[in-house]
């Protein structure tokens, strides 16, 4: 499975794991199931594989392995069998579409919040700089006004 992660360039891995856990929880809530790491029935295996592939596509195998508490080789197996599962496993395609939608929606929202935080910090910096410039300009104008007043009195 091709595993690009253009969104991870400057992300903190611990934050990505936390966000991955939240996305997985949202996914399981949306399908009305609880997470079960060890159960091998199709009822639990299919959603686990679907969310594993959807998360790995977004945050990579190592972080997804931490989110799902699985080893990386298991996640590689999920990725290697994904295309075949889409075609041959009844219900997997729909399960994957739900997982992919939840992960994409969650991480896009997270990135927008992160971007807003960055913008707000920049706005704060710019407002501080504006205030300092205005204060300096005001002081210069006060000095010039005082000099002109003294010259006019002479």
């Amino acid at each position: 499975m091709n595993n690009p992660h253009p969104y991870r360039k400057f992300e903190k891995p611990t934050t990505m794991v936390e966000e991955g856990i939240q996305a997985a929880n949202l996914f399981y809530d949306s399908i009305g199931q609880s997470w079960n790491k060890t159960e091998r029935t199709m009822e639990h295996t299919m959603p686990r594989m679907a969310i594993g592939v959807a998360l790995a596509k977004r945050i990579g195998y190592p972080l997804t392995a931490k989110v799902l508490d699985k080893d990386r080789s298991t996640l590689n197996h999920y990725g290697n069998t994904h295309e075949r599962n889409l075609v041959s496993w009844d219900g997997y395609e729909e399960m994957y579409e739900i997982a992919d939608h939840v992960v994409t929606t969650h991480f896009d929202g997270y990135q927008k919040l992160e971007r807003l935080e960055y913008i707000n910090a920049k706005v704060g910096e710019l407002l501080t700089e504006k205030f300092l410039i205005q204060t300096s300009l005001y002081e210069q104008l006060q000095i010039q006004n005082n000099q002109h007043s003294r010259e006019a009195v002479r």
Side-chain angles (χ1 to χ4, degrees):
M1 177 178 137
N2 187 4
N3 194 16
H5 0 82
Y7 306 104
R8 284 188 41 212
K9 202 171 192 179
F10 302 106
E11 304 281 358
K12 296 177 189 165
T14 53
T15 304
M16 297 306 287
V17 170
E18 291 164 3
E19 292 301 318
I21 290 169
Q22 287 181 13
N25 288 335
L26 287 170
F27 167 69
Y28 276 98
D29 287 346
S30 72
I31 62 170
Q33 232 185 59
S34 59
W35 163 251
N36 188 317
K37 175 188 171 188
T38 56
E39 185 66 42
R40 291 180 164 250
T41 63
M42 185 175 72
E43 176 186 358
H44 293 284
T45 304
M46 185 185 293
R48 190 168 50 236
M49 290 180 86
I51 192 66
V53 172
L55 281 169
K57 187 170 88 173
R58 193 63 174 221
I59 64 175
Y61 289 132
L63 297 179
T64 301
K66 288 181 181 183
V67 168
L68 299 180
D69 196 21
K70 294 283 187 182
D71 58 62
R72 244 177 8 146
S73 63
T74 301
L75 273 292
N76 282 326
H77 170 71
Y78 292 175
N80 291 336
T81 59
H82 175 66
E83 293 299 321
R84 185 175 43 225
N85 289 342
L86 287 171
V87 175
S88 62
W89 198 359
D90 266 354
Y92 179 78
E93 183 177 11
E94 293 79 14
M95 189 69 65
Y96 173 72
E97 286 174 0
I98 294 168
D100 190 53
H101 176 73
V102 168
V103 168
T104 300
T105 304
H106 180 75
F107 276 93
D108 284 350
Y110 167 72
Q111 286 178 325
K112 287 176 184 171
L113 288 174
E114 200 171 61
R115 182 75 178 146
L116 279 174
E117 285 178 21
Y118 171 79
I119 290 170
N120 284 335
K122 283 293 175 194
V123 167
E125 290 173 19
L126 291 171
L127 287 173
T128 300
E129 184 177 348
K130 177 186 171 193
F131 175 77
L132 293 173
I133 290 170
Q134 285 176 327
T135 303
S136 173
L137 183 60
Y138 177 75
E139 289 171 355
Q140 288 175 352
L141 289 173
Q142 286 292 95
I143 292 170
Q144 286 176 357
N145 281 341
N146 289 342
Q147 288 174 350
H148 288 301
S149 296
R150 286 184 202 141
E151 289 173 7
V153 172
R154 288 185 197 169

